[in-house]
Amino acid sequence: MKVSQCKSLTKCDFAGCSNWAKFSFATKGFIKKDLCFCEECLKGMYEALAKTQTPKPIESPYKYGKKLKKKVEG
Protein backbone atom coordinates (compact mmCIF):
# COMPACT_ATOMS: atom_id res chain seq x y z
CA MET A 1 0.00 0.00 0.00
CA LYS A 2 1.34 3.40 -0.95
CA VAL A 3 0.26 6.86 0.26
CA SER A 4 0.61 9.77 -2.14
CA GLN A 5 -0.83 13.20 -2.90
CA CYS A 6 -4.00 13.31 -5.03
CA LYS A 7 -3.31 14.43 -8.58
CA SER A 8 -6.88 15.40 -9.41
CA LEU A 9 -9.72 17.11 -7.53
CA THR A 10 -11.90 14.43 -5.97
CA LYS A 11 -14.18 14.23 -2.98
CA CYS A 12 -13.21 12.32 0.14
CA ASP A 13 -14.24 8.64 0.00
CA PHE A 14 -15.15 8.55 3.70
CA ALA A 15 -18.92 8.17 4.21
CA GLY A 16 -20.58 11.49 5.08
CA CYS A 17 -17.56 13.68 4.30
CA SER A 18 -17.80 16.23 1.50
CA ASN A 19 -14.28 17.75 1.72
CA TRP A 20 -11.78 17.67 -1.11
CA ALA A 21 -9.32 14.79 -0.90
CA LYS A 22 -5.61 15.51 -0.49
CA PHE A 23 -4.16 12.01 -0.06
CA SER A 24 -4.73 8.73 -1.88
CA PHE A 25 -3.97 5.09 -1.13
CA ALA A 26 -3.08 2.85 -4.05
CA THR A 27 -4.89 -0.49 -3.76
CA LYS A 28 -5.20 -3.59 -5.91
CA GLY A 29 -8.95 -3.79 -6.35
CA PHE A 30 -11.10 -4.45 -9.39
CA ILE A 31 -13.65 -1.70 -8.79
CA LYS A 32 -11.53 1.18 -7.53
CA LYS A 33 -7.77 1.46 -7.61
CA ASP A 34 -7.32 4.61 -5.46
CA LEU A 35 -8.94 5.50 -2.16
CA CYS A 36 -8.86 9.26 -1.59
CA PHE A 37 -9.21 10.90 1.83
CA CYS A 38 -9.13 14.46 3.15
CA GLU A 39 -6.68 15.50 5.85
CA GLU A 40 -9.27 15.45 8.66
CA CYS A 41 -10.48 11.93 7.90
CA LEU A 42 -6.93 10.66 7.52
CA LYS A 43 -5.97 12.06 10.93
CA GLY A 44 -9.08 10.46 12.46
CA MET A 45 -8.20 7.06 10.98
CA TYR A 46 -4.60 7.41 12.17
CA GLU A 47 -5.69 8.19 15.73
CA ALA A 48 -8.14 5.27 15.77
CA LEU A 49 -5.49 2.84 14.51
CA ALA A 50 -2.87 4.15 16.92
CA LYS A 51 -5.15 3.35 19.87
CA THR A 52 -5.58 -0.28 18.79
CA GLN A 53 -2.03 -1.16 17.73
CA THR A 54 1.18 -1.04 19.75
CA PRO A 55 4.62 -1.21 18.12
CA LYS A 56 6.74 -4.25 18.88
CA PRO A 57 10.32 -3.71 20.01
CA ILE A 58 13.19 -4.81 17.81
CA GLU A 59 14.89 -7.96 19.03
CA SER A 60 18.45 -7.35 20.11
CA PRO A 61 21.21 -9.33 18.44
CA TYR A 62 22.49 -10.37 21.87
CA LYS A 63 20.39 -12.64 24.04
CA TYR A 64 21.33 -11.44 27.52
CA GLY A 65 18.33 -13.12 29.11
CA LYS A 66 19.58 -16.59 28.23
CA LYS A 67 23.07 -15.85 29.56
CA LEU A 68 21.87 -14.42 32.86
CA LYS A 69 19.37 -17.15 33.73
CA LYS A 70 20.81 -19.90 35.84
CA LYS A 71 19.34 -23.29 36.45
CA VAL A 72 17.76 -23.55 39.85
CA GLU A 73 18.53 -26.82 41.51
CA GLY A 74 16.17 -28.10 44.10
Side-chain angles (χ1 to χ4, degrees), residues 7-57:
K7 297 177 184 176
S8 61
L9 287 176
T10 58
K11 295 275 186 170
C12 180
D13 287 334
F14 209 77
C17 183
S18 61
N19 294 336
W20 293 107
K22 291 185 179 180
F23 302 100
S24 66
F25 289 99
T27 59
K28 296 179 182 179
F30 292 109
I31 298 171
K32 197 169 191 179
K33 299 218 181 229
D34 289 336
L35 296 173
C36 300
F37 296 105
C38 67
E39 192 170 357
E40 293 175 18
C41 293
L42 197 61
K43 283 182 183 179
M45 285 190 292
Y46 177 76
E47 289 174 1
L49 284 172
K51 290 178 183 177
T52 61
Q53 295 179 348
T54 56
K56 294 182 180 179

